[in-house]
Structure formats: structure tokens, C-alpha cells
Amino acid sequence: MSLQGTVVDNAVCHPRNYDFYMCAHAGMIGTTRPTHYHILHDEIHFAADDLQDLVHSLSYVYQRSTTAISVVSPICYAHLAAAQVAQFIKFDEMSETSSSQGGGHTSAGSAPVQELPRLHEKVRSSMFFC
């Protein structure tokens, strides 16, 4: 059984880049999934321990779970939102009106990009994709 919040930030990490491994959740033997985090740019200049504490705290605020999850919740929400938009675009592609309107945007030498669907006012400020 691994301890929740276990961080490895030396020995197996990159010698120059800022990265670390974290097991944010406790699991039975063989079920804990450590996550490898890479810090690309730190504008706030967090101390390593403070940033790792923030990452650990963010693993507890996922709406679909009452315990910690293996990756931070903003990443899970981004995946859910992207999957929902993919469903909207698939639905839009199947409709006959979208092909006749041609509501995409193009830049020089690129394929047209579909305009995102407008959200209903009642769900704009909610996390409806959860």
C-alpha cells in the first residue's frame, strides 16, 4: 500500500528540467498510479514543496470522486470538456444544415476549423459536462 501524497522529485527525475512524480491517492498494492508532472513555466516562482502541495490539493477537488484522483482535477475537467465538444461537432457534422452553411474559419494554407457551438444561457456558467 502506498501513502497518498508521495512525491519523488530526485533520483529518477530529469537532472536539469523541473519535474516530479506524485502518487496523490492511496491505493492497494499494484493499483496506485503515479503521475509524472513537468513544470514548463513557473511565473509565480513557487517553491518546489509549495507547488507539489498545490498539485496534491488539486487532486482532491474532482466533482466525481470523494477521494483523491491520480491527476489534478483541472486536467480531468479539460478532458471532459473536450469530449463534450467532440460530441457537439460530430452531431453538427451529421446535420444537413452545417454542411450548407459553411461556418468554419480558415487561415492561409490550412483546413477549415469548425466554429464552436453556442451554449444555452442556463448552462454557460455551470460545469454541465461533469
Side-chain angles (χ1 to χ4, degrees):
M1 185 143 170
S2 69
L3 296 175
Q4 58 192 15
T6 300
V7 174
V8 175
D9 58 359
N10 56 19
V12 296
C13 297
H14 196 276
R16 290 181 306 276
N17 296 343
Y18 183 21
D19 64 335
F20 62 94
Y21 291 87
M22 178 178 285
C23 290
H25 62 293
M28 297 168 56
I29 295 173
T31 62
T32 302
R33 195 173 100 188
T35 304
H36 190 189
Y37 291 97
H38 296 269
I39 311 307
L40 301 177
H41 183 70
D42 182 12
E43 291 179 342
I44 302 175
H45 306 293
F46 273 106
D49 290 339
D50 293 337
L51 183 61
Q52 292 162 2
D53 187 44
L54 174 65
V55 168
H56 184 244
S57 297
L58 284 174
S59 68
Y60 281 91
V61 295
Y62 188 54
Q63 185 177 5
R64 292 182 171 187
S65 177
T66 58
T67 61
I69 57 175
S70 60
V71 295
V72 292
S73 57
I75 292 173
C76 293
Y77 290 136
H79 283 281
L80 288 171
Q84 191 71 32
V85 167
Q87 292 301 317
F88 283 139
I89 290 174
K90 283 181 189 175
F91 179 75
D92 193 38
E93 287 174 354
M94 288 189 294
S95 72
E96 297 169 354
T97 58
S98 67
S99 60
S100 63
Q101 290 177 353
H105 300 283
T106 60
S107 60
S110 68
V113 177
Q114 287 285 338
E115 186 174 330
L116 292 176
R118 302 276 181 221
L119 295 177
H120 192 273
E121 243 178 80
K122 291 183 178 181
V123 295
R124 267 189 204 152
S125 61
S126 70
M127 292 174 44
F128 66 94
F129 50 82
C130 290

